[in-house]
Amino acid sequence: MLAPLPPSLPAPPSALPLALQSFVAGILVALAILSILAYHSLRDRVLSMAGLFGLTVAAAWITFSDIAASLLPGPLLPAIRPLSVVLAGTSLAAWERVTAYLLAPSLGAGHLARLRRFSAMGAFAVSFVALLPWEPSFLVSRILLGLLASLLGILTLTAGLRAHREKVGSARLVMAVSLALLFRCGSLAASSLGWMSRASSLTAIQAALLVLALALGWAMLRQMKELQQSTEAVQAAQLAAAAGQARDMEKLVQERNAELSERLRDLEEARRTAEAANQSLQRALSQLEQVASTDRLTGAWNRRRFEEAVLPEMALAQRRRDPLALIMFDLDHFKRVNDTFGHGAGDLVLAGTVQTVRQHLRLSDALIRWGGEEFLVMAPATRMEGAMGLAEKLRTALAAVDFPDVGQVTMSLGVSEYTLGESLEAWIERTDQALYRAKTSGRNCVVQAPAPERRGPEPLGEQSLLGMVWEEAYTSGHPLIDAQHRRLFRLASTLMSVVAENHPLAEVSLRLETLLAHTAQHFHDEEALLREARYPDLAAHAKVHASLLQRAGNLQTDVQAGELDFERLVTFLALDLIKGHILTEDRHHFPHLLTVLGSDGTMSAEV
């Protein structure tokens, strides 16, 4: 390779006119400044590196052209040669960064990225060797720089070919610049070997730099255009989305306003119909209670309803010494009816039997389906003689009925009168024994149950202590309130009797829950009536209601947890709810309740 010119001699003139060289230098500087300015607005790293690359290429162009020789004084011309090598190494490092960003979408080009980076950094490092104040160091720096530049050009060209196969848009420009770089390196090598004159070599290098700069400038312009289009597209999409959101928000506001207006109208309508709906709810609760307490086939009471009714009647008998009778009857040979004519015919016989029996009962009497074809009749205020006569009347009436396809059906009956102090289980067992004797005595007859043997003085019984009976002196004159008070009396009395007889906690919990539901409904209805009557102490009365419901809820929680406090439960029911509130507190507002009644004694339409 030929030695460089001595530092004291000026470089040979280029074939390009000085004006054209200056124009190219201005273009390179303009491209660099444009890339830097575009980076500040677009924030694209490719543009920042392109600006740095453009500045270094412009400086290298000036050192390789006649511009530096025409501008600098003679003593500074020797410093241009090592400076041109440093600028060449810097431009190679910047070029590697720019092409790395341009080829980033290519996976194949990425495999050569590390090797390209090492080549560029090596070229940048060896370029500074030319600054050493020793002539051989300049030569060594140029040779190494030429080799590394050639290696970088080959690697970049290979990466560009791979990116081109992967349809990367900037691959062709990268390949063109790589070819220009290889051409520049070849020109330097040909000049060093004497194959090309120095002037021709400089001209070729300048041409290669011109192609490199123009190709890169084109790439930067394309990159800026794509970024600008992408930014505009994003901005347009954001504006469209914002406009859509504004329309959606406006539509949502309109819908919310319409919905709010509709809700206000609904609330106004609900306010006017609240009491009517409450009365409908009360009727529905009564119907549900009726369904839950009657036998579906015959319409007679079931066991649950009988137990709720008989315990207050037993308590009343204890308290007033009133008679109370019980009749238990069973259809004779009923299994034969089912086996011979089918269960459908058997159901018709059961329903017809109930219909026949009811024709001979009083309104105060209760008919209960005890199980299968076995029934009970509870007859309040009835002594044994009257109960025996009623039983015989029932037996005769049923025997006279001719059931379709089945014919005549008879019954056997056992009759008993309640004895003071006797438990419900013992009373039913005594009646059942009388029915058994009627069955074994030939059927179709009535047998009286003997009175139980007395041991010691007559016991008062737990019912006499716990039973609470409704009396007419407790009435308020308002039909709804009086009906609810009677129900609460009956439910509370039944609950205390169930607790006193040690029934299972599950049954106690169910009855307490029923009492709590009816109590809450009564409090709600009572407050609505008092609000209509403008009762002055309504707020204080409502607080008492809330306190009672709170205590009832706590009792229910304890029972469900298996912790029954008998004394606390009895105190709440007898003293707090019944005596303390219904019989004492409620009497204060009885006169006000009458103001919401019509002239005919019924509730006004507003309630």
Side-chain angles (χ1 to χ4, degrees), residues 263-298:
R263 287 185 178 181
L264 289 175
R265 288 192 295 268
D266 292 343
L267 287 174
E268 180 64 22
E269 182 178 356
R271 186 190 66 81
R272 293 192 299 265
T273 59
E275 294 301 329
N278 181 61
Q279 292 179 5
S280 299
L281 176 61
Q282 181 64 36
R283 288 192 297 269
L285 288 175
S286 299
Q287 292 174 1
L288 288 175
E289 184 178 0
Q290 178 68 20
V291 171
S293 61
T294 57
D295 176 57
R296 183 172 58 87
L297 174 63
T298 63

Side-chain angles (χ1 to χ4, degrees), residues 340-547:
T340 304
F341 304 100
H343 288 278
D347 291 344
L348 292 177
V349 170
L350 291 174
T353 299
V354 170
Q355 184 178 2
T356 301
V357 169
R358 277 181 171 163
Q359 294 175 358
H360 301 279
L361 297 181
R362 302 168 299 177
L363 292 177
S364 58
D365 298 335
L367 177 61
I368 303 98
R369 186 178 182 184
W370 194 244
E373 69 275 16
E374 199 171 51
F375 294 84
L376 288 176
V377 175
M378 181 180 68
T382 304
R383 297 195 179 276
M384 178 61 75
E385 295 79 8
M388 288 293 293
L390 175 60
E392 184 61 29
K393 185 186 299 184
L394 297 179
R395 185 195 67 80
T396 304
L398 182 63
V401 177
D402 186 17
F403 291 97
D405 298 330
V406 177
Q408 185 185 39
V409 176
T410 61
M411 66 168 68
S412 301
L413 303 94
V415 183
S416 66
E417 182 180 351
Y418 174 65
T419 302
L420 298 181
E422 187 178 20
S423 66
L424 177 60
E425 289 77 9
W427 185 23
I428 293 176
E429 176 63 24
R430 189 160 56 89
T431 311
D432 185 63
Q433 290 298 323
L435 172 62
Y436 177 75
R437 287 194 296 273
K439 299 288 260 185
T440 58
S441 299
R443 294 184 172 85
N444 194 21
C445 62
V446 180
V447 173
Q448 175 180 334
E453 297 181 1
R454 298 190 181 277
R455 298 179 180 178
E458 178 182 300
L460 294 177
E462 289 178 330
Q463 278 79 5
S464 63
L465 297 176
L466 301 177
M468 295 177 293
V469 181
W470 174 264
E471 297 182 3
E472 291 302 318
Y474 301 155
T475 58
S476 66
H478 194 287
L480 175 61
I481 298 300
D482 290 339
Q484 292 179 345
H485 280 177
R486 288 190 188 94
R487 182 183 291 112
L488 293 179
F489 261 70
R490 176 170 55 82
L491 293 176
S493 178
T494 303
L495 175 58
M496 287 196 292
S497 298
V498 166
V499 173
E501 294 177 4
N502 294 322
H503 284 233
L505 280 180
E507 182 179 356
V508 175
S509 177
L510 177 61
R511 293 183 183 276
L512 179 57
E513 185 176 358
T514 303
L515 174 65
L516 181 58
H518 283 284
T519 302
Q521 182 65 43
H522 165 64
F523 287 168
H524 175 273
D525 295 342
E526 187 177 78
E527 290 175 14
L529 291 170
L530 294 178
R531 189 178 300 108
E532 183 70 19
R534 293 180 174 83
Y535 181 55
D537 295 332
L538 176 59
H541 200 70
K543 288 183 180 179
V544 174
H545 286 171
S547 176

